[in-house]
Amino acid sequence: FSQLPGSVMSKINSQELRNTIQDMLTYSLETKKRNFVETVELQVGLKNYDPKRDKRFSGTIKLPAPCKNKMKFCVLGDDIHCDEAKALGIDFKDVETLKQFNRNKKLVKKLASQYDAFLASESIIRLIPRYLGPGLNKVGKFPHLLTHNESMEAKLHEIRSTVKFQMKKVLCLGVAVANVSQTPEEIQQNLTMAINFLVSLLKKHWQNVRTLHIKTSMGKPHHIY
C-alpha cells in the first residue's frame, strides 16, 4: 500500500495501528467477550466539505477479507440458480413466487426487511420492476446480478467483502470494514485499503479528513488519525 500517492501509510503509523487493533481485539475477545461476532467499524469525520454545495461522493470497494460474516441472502432465481441456492442452504424465490407479490408494497417491504442482500438471475432481474415494483431499490437492496458463468459461492463472498462509502447530509460516516473473528493482519489490510479508497474519493484527499476512529460494535472508539 505504501506505493499509493498520499497513502494511509504516510499518514498513519502502521505499528501504532497494529497496536490499536490488538488492544481493541483484546478488549472484545477477552476482557468483555460478547455472545456474537462484533463488527469493526471505521468512523470518519470530514472537514472543509459542504454537503449542500460540494458534490457528494459515493463508491464501493471489495476488501481483501470478507467483513460481513453474518449476512442473510435470498436468491431470486431461474431453475438452475434456485437448485444451486438450495444446495448451498440459501433462501430462494422462483418466478412463480415473485408473481404472487404483484407489486404489493407491504409484502415487498416485508421481504426486503428479512434479508441483507438479494441476488437475481439475468432472466429474473428485468422482471423485478414488474412483479415487485421499486420497493427493493428504495431501501438500497436491488439484487446483485448473478450469471451462469460465475460461482454463486464466489459471488456471496464478494458481497460479504464489499463496502460502500457514501456521503450523506452530515460530515461524519461509519462503515463496517472488518469483524473481530479476523486476524489483526486481515483487519489492518481491510482498514488500510478502505481508508486509501475513501481518501481517493475526497476532493482534497487527506485535507478533507478531520478524524478517523475504529471501534467494535460494543467497544469504545479508538482514535487512529
Side-chain angles (χ1 to χ4, degrees), residues 82-94:
C82 285
D83 288 345
E84 208 179 327
K86 194 175 182 179
L88 289 171
I90 293 159
D91 291 359
F92 59 89
K93 309 234 176 287
D94 61 13

Side-chain angles (χ1 to χ4, degrees), residues 116-129:
D116 297 304
F118 294 87
L119 296 91
S121 309
E122 234 166 329
S123 58
I124 305 291
I125 209 158
R126 48 179 173 262
L127 300 174
I128 286 167

Side-chain angles (χ1 to χ4, degrees), residues 31-193:
T31 316
K32 197 89 170 139
K33 189 160 170 43
R34 309 280 172 173
N35 57 1
F36 68 97
V37 177
E38 290 183 77
T39 296
V40 176
E41 187 179 67
L42 172 66
Q43 297 181 330
V44 184
L46 300 172
K47 63 180 179 181
N48 305 332
Y49 229 96
D50 181 349
K52 287 195 181 80
R53 264 211 333 262
D54 291 327
K55 187 173 183 286
R56 291 188 197 169
F57 59 81
S58 175
T60 51
I61 183 172
K62 181 177 180 286
L63 299 176
C67 43
K68 306 165 196 162
N69 65 332
K70 274 262 174 108
M71 284 188 85
K72 199 162 185 228
F73 293 104
C74 182
V75 172
L76 313 176
D78 55 25
D79 293 347
I80 296 168
H81 280 145
C82 285
D83 288 345
E84 208 179 327
K86 194 175 182 179
L88 289 171
I90 293 159
D91 291 359
F92 59 89
K93 309 234 176 287
D94 61 13
V95 72
E96 290 307 314
T97 312
L98 293 180
K99 278 180 188 171
Q100 289 163 21
F101 281 89
N102 196 21
R103 292 173 68 99
N104 180 315
K105 283 181 187 172
K106 270 189 182 165
L107 291 177
V108 174
K109 196 175 175 182
K110 189 180 173 191
L111 172 73
S113 68
Q114 289 172 325
Y115 299 97
D116 297 304
F118 294 87
L119 296 91
S121 309
E122 234 166 329
S123 58
I124 305 291
I125 209 158
R126 48 179 173 262
L127 300 174
I128 286 167
R130 190 192 306 173
Y131 298 143
L132 301 182
L136 293 182
N137 208 13
K138 276 184 182 166
V139 292
K141 290 185 183 177
F142 193 78
H144 298 262
L145 176 64
L146 195 56
T147 63
H148 286 292
N149 49 15
E150 63 185 331
S151 130
M152 189 179 287
E153 269 185 294
K155 190 75 177 176
L156 297 177
H157 184 276
E158 183 187 313
I159 296 168
R160 284 194 189 100
S161 309
T162 303
V163 296
K164 182 174 189 177
F165 286 99
Q166 190 169 20
M167 173 83 178
K168 298 280 176 70
K169 291 176 184 173
V170 288
L171 286 177
C172 51
L173 62 149
V175 180
V177 292
N179 66 71
V180 297
S181 70
Q182 292 170 315
T183 65
E185 290 75 24
E186 286 177 322
I187 294 173
Q188 186 157 357
Q189 260 194 321
N190 273 13
L191 263 173
T192 304
M193 199 166 179

